Amino acid sequence: MKIVSRIKLPIETEMELFEKKFSASMSSKVSLLNRITHYVVNRKGKQMRPMFVFLIAKMTGNGEVNERTYRGASVIELIHTATLVHDDVVDDSNRRRGFFSINALWKNKIAVLVGDYLLSKGLLLSIDNDDFDLLKIISVAVREMSEGELLQIEKARRLDITEEIYFEIIRQKTATLIAACCAMGARSVMAPDSEVEKMRKFGELIGIAFQIKDDLFDYGNERIGKPTGIDIKEQKMTLPLIYALNNSSSEEKKWLINSVKNHNKDKQRVKEVITFVKNNGGLDYAVTTMKEYQQQALQLLETYPASPYKESLELMVNYVIDRKK
């Protein structure tokens, strides 16, 4: 059985019902919108985010979920989908999960409006049901994600990212949404504040490990086999590169920054940068750091009794580290 199917096993029934509720939460009187949202629903990814919501809810709620849990998962997925639609416009990207993106099929104007529509649907789903505690969790996440994106853009221009700023960017950009999923799961079953915070922290730690793993893919992996160097071409500062920069001579530093800034389209130069980062311990450092976050996340689960939900969450933490793409 595939790892994702094993993770999903204890929440299979909930996930099936969730898909129906999620589709219903997108419906509109405008047929164009319905065509587009139908396209979105049928091209879903692994659905890791709602899985986090349901697994955490069941682990902290004695194996039970309720309507709030379904609404919480739907809000997360609506907002997440809205951010992806807007991201594709911002990045001028024509593909998403192997399919054409909305902006490629229906142009930017419609894509922006669809993103706004999904965002408002998410907010109203919470407001209409007086889920203000759930709304607060997702609203904070959206604010942080926007700040993280803008902080990255600001820093990328000057390439002066320290490790501290790097972690702040990925915490906001990537980890915040996974943290919100975990907090949402616990809050939906009325877990106490201390437990909601503990689960939020759990999600944040996984989110950071997830992003470091993504950084490592730029330097090659088992499935792709060869380094991609895409992050270098886009002038994105990844943890292996930051480590290599901070642990090189001033001459090497100049060469590295010049390479990333002015020669990022030169394939040979990008290859040289990748080799330099590898030889200067950048990858080893990133792997060690990623595993530290993984262990911290697993430690937060130790206080819970054995259950299929806890087991799936442990599998999920390890999957984040071991995935091949």
Side-chain angles (χ1 to χ4, degrees):
M1 191 187 280
K2 276 188 174 174
I3 181 86
V4 178
S5 305
R6 276 174 63 201
I7 292 167
K8 224 182 228 185
L9 212 53
I11 50 164
E12 219 161 18
T13 317
E14 286 82 3
M15 287 299 289
E16 277 175 26
L17 184 53
F18 161 74
E19 283 192 29
K20 293 191 181 86
K21 286 178 184 279
F22 179 56
S23 292
S25 71
M26 283 190 179
S27 67
S28 158
K29 292 189 182 82
V30 181
S31 59
L32 173 63
L33 254 176
N34 283 331
R35 269 208 310 281
I36 296 172
T37 54
H38 181 74
Y39 180 80
V40 169
V41 170
N42 289 338
R43 281 149 192 80
K44 59 184 183 295
K46 296 187 194 78
Q47 294 192 305
M48 302 301 271
R49 286 160 191 84
M51 281 160 67
F52 271 121
V53 177
F54 287 112
L55 287 169
I56 296 276
K58 290 192 105 171
M59 184 179 76
T60 56
N62 299 318
E64 298 292 321
V65 300
N66 55 39
E67 281 303 313
R68 272 165 57 86
T69 315
Y70 285 101
R71 289 197 298 268
S74 291
V75 168
I76 288 273
E77 202 64 351
L78 281 164
I79 306 270
H80 174 57
T81 308
T83 59
L84 294 185
V85 172
H86 282 165
D87 276 355
D88 287 339
V89 175
V90 170
D91 298 339
D92 204 13
S93 171
N94 291 326
R95 310 287 287 184
R96 167 71 62 182
R97 293 170 181 149
F99 297 94
F100 283 115
S101 59
I102 291 177
N103 51 302
L105 292 173
W106 285 282
K107 302 293 174 256
N108 284 349
K109 186 176 180 178
I110 289 176
V112 170
L113 293 169
V114 168
D116 291 346
Y117 172 78
L118 295 173
L119 194 61
S120 68
K121 275 289 202 183
L123 301 178
L124 285 168
L125 184 59
S126 295
I127 292 166
D128 290 345
N129 293 283
D130 292 342
D131 296 331
F132 296 110
D133 51 348
L134 304 186
L135 182 59
K136 185 173 183 184
I137 290 170
I138 191 65
S139 300
V140 169
V142 173
R143 183 195 69 201
E144 297 237 310
M145 285 156 66
S146 309
E147 283 180 354
E149 283 286 356
L150 288 163
L151 179 61
Q152 184 175 41
I153 291 166
E154 181 193 359
K155 293 296 174 187
R157 284 184 184 149
R158 287 164 40 205
L159 298 186
D160 61 347
I161 294 185
T162 60
E163 206 172 295
E164 192 183 348
I165 291 171
Y166 164 82
F167 279 109
E168 185 55 21
I169 290 171
I170 67 166
R171 185 191 66 74
Q172 290 186 315
K173 250 189 70 173
T174 307
T176 300
L177 194 62
I178 298 174
C181 295
C182 297
M184 194 79 95
R187 175 63 78 203
S188 73
V189 292
M190 301 303 188
D193 289 352
S194 58
E195 193 166 24
V196 173
E197 173 52 29
K198 185 178 175 180
M199 291 299 96
R200 187 202 66 76
K201 186 68 187 167
F202 169 76
E204 184 174 285
L205 291 165
I206 295 176
I208 291 171
F210 183 93
Q211 185 56 54
I212 297 173
K213 179 70 173 182
D214 263 9
D215 285 2
L216 286 163
F217 284 143
D218 209 42
Y219 296 89
N221 73 355
E222 298 90 329
R223 193 181 65 92
I224 299 168
K226 60 182 189 296
T228 61
I230 290 166
D231 287 336
I232 295 167
K233 290 184 190 103
E234 291 178 358
Q235 297 190 18
K236 276 186 190 156
M237 296 299 276
T238 56
L239 189 58
L241 183 58
I242 290 166
Y243 179 84
L245 265 173
N246 292 337
N247 290 276
S248 53
S249 67
S250 57
E251 279 305 306
E252 288 168 332
K253 208 173 202 169
K254 259 187 208 155
W255 174 81
L256 261 181
I257 289 176
N258 184 31
S259 302
V260 176
K261 228 175 186 169
N262 304 316
H263 303 279
N264 52 44
K265 302 285 186 282
D266 177 341
K267 280 184 182 171
Q268 187 51 41
R269 191 72 169 256
V270 169
K271 258 187 199 164
E272 286 167 17
V273 169
I274 288 171
T275 305
F276 180 85
V277 170
K278 281 181 177 173
N279 293 344
N280 282 266
L283 298 199
D284 295 339
Y285 177 75
V287 168
T288 306
T289 309
M290 174 179 73
K291 286 184 173 165
E292 282 167 12
Y293 279 95
Q294 174 198 25
Q295 288 312 311
Q296 285 176 47
L298 289 171
Q299 275 166 12
L300 287 178
L301 296 179
E302 279 175 6
T303 51
Y304 291 92
S307 71
Y309 325 115
K310 177 183 173 179
E311 195 181 322
S312 277
L313 285 164
E314 288 170 340
L315 275 174
M316 188 92 100
V317 174
N318 295 326
Y319 168 72
V320 161
I321 302 296
D322 300 331
R323 67 201 164 98
K324 303 287 184 281
K325 62 175 176 175

